[in-house]
Each structure stands twice: as structure tokens, then as C-alpha cells.
Amino acid sequence: QVQLVESGGGKVQPGGSLTLSCATSGFRFNSYAMSWFRQAPGKERELVARIFPPGTTTFYADSVKGRFTISSDNAKNTVYLQMNSLKPEDTALYYCNYGIQSPRAYRYWGQGTQVTVSS
């Protein structure tokens, strides 16, 4: 049974920081890329960052490049997203998932964690 449990979201002022965590189980963690996605109200879910096993190669969307850092702890089957210099446009529900599929291709999602950036 695949489980994806996101946590760490909250409300922060512009320029602030948050660290998100995604605890996983039910699949071979070190065989898959892990990704963070986000979805703002009225917008499509988009890929934010991706990390490839063994956890040394990463990808970032242009909108977050230089501000966000994805990392993984293979011993804990957990992926993280360190978010710095947050902007109001980063406000969204953040999700994690495994593999390299586009957002529309995934059949299962966790509950996500809400990030709100507002003054």
C-alpha cells in the first residue's frame, strides 16, 4: 500500500522560509525519482522539483530555481523541500509523488500540505 504523507506547510510572510517533508512507504524508494508538485487555486498542478536516485541529481522549475532545494534521506524513505525567499505566488497545496510522470498521469496523491505566503 503506497503512502505519501506531506507535512511542514504553514503561513509565512514574503521572504520567509519553510521546509516540507514527504514520508513514504509501500514502494522501493531508491528505485524511483521523487518529485514535489504544487497546485494553486484555479491553476493546474505543476512540477516544482525532482530528485533522482541515488539522490545526487536534481531538477527545478524555473520559477523556484535558486530558492528551493530538494533532498532525500534514503534510510528514512523521505524527501524534503527547503523553500527560501518565498513569494506570494508560491502559495499552493504542495504534494509529493514517485516516478517521472506528468501531474495528470498520477492515479494516487496524498493529502498535500498547504503553503500560504502573505503579508
Side-chain angles (χ1 to χ4, degrees):
Q1 298 283 352
V2 173
Q3 286 190 291
L4 304 165
V5 183
E6 301 93 344
S7 63
K11 185 178 180 180
V12 65
Q13 294 184 355
S17 299
L18 285 172
T19 300
L20 308 183
S21 298
C22 173
T24 78
S25 62
F27 64 96
R28 196 176 295 274
F29 183 83
N30 62 5
S31 294
Y32 293 89
M34 291 297 303
S35 301
W36 283 98
F37 302 86
R38 67 185 181 187
Q39 186 167 24
K43 295 187 177 181
E44 297 290 331
R45 192 166 301 185
E46 63 176 349
L47 175 66
V48 175
R50 178 165 285 165
I51 186 165
F52 298 85
T56 56
T57 301
T58 58
F59 166 85
Y60 298 95
D62 288 342
S63 59
V64 308
K65 199 171 297 181
R67 300 187 297 120
F68 291 11
T69 303
I70 188 171
S71 62
S72 60
D73 186 334
N74 293 321
K76 296 182 178 180
N77 292 349
T78 300
V79 63
Y80 306 93
L81 187 67
Q82 174 66 50
M83 305 184 295
N84 298 322
S85 302
L86 283 162
K87 305 175 180 180
E89 49 263 47
D90 295 318
T91 296
L93 191 60
Y94 283 72
Y95 302 88
C96 65
N97 222 317
Y98 67 102
I100 57 173
Q101 300 297 108
S102 64
R104 295 175 182 83
Y106 287 100
R107 297 178 181 178
Y108 171 79
W109 298 91
Q111 292 296 307
T113 186
Q114 178 67 41
V115 172
T116 302
V117 185
S118 176
S119 59

